[in-house]
Amino acid sequence: MKKTIALLTGGTTGEWVVSVKSAATIAQNIDSTKYDVYKIMLTESGWFYEPAEFSENRYR
């Protein structure tokens, strides 16, 4: 049985880009046979949920 984890990324500061890129790197390199990964993106407009398929290009 896979474990479920959430990546919390984004924020409301200048470090937003670093956070998004870090989460994308983790998502690309995590063992998907062991983990189901869900992303929670924080922005100044609120928060958004994403399924495991994640692309940092979407937030550029």
Side-chain angles (χ1 to χ4, degrees):
M1 180 176 192
K2 287 184 180 182
K3 291 185 178 186
T4 301
I5 63 169
L7 292 177
L8 183 60
T9 187
T12 59
T13 70
E15 294 297 314
W16 187 88
V17 173
V18 173
S19 178
V20 171
K21 288 184 177 188
S22 296
T25 299
I26 293 167
Q28 290 169 1
N29 291 291
I30 200 159
D31 187 346
S32 62
T33 65
K34 293 182 180 179
Y35 303 99
D36 285 323
V37 181
Y38 298 88
K39 285 95 187 164
I40 300 172
M41 172 68 68
L42 299 176
T43 69
E44 291 182 3
S45 301
W47 64 272
F48 306 91
Y49 160 83
E50 291 194 2
E53 295 75 36
F54 181 72
S55 172
E56 74 178 75
N57 294 329
R58 180 175 170 186
Y59 300 102
R60 287 189 180 171

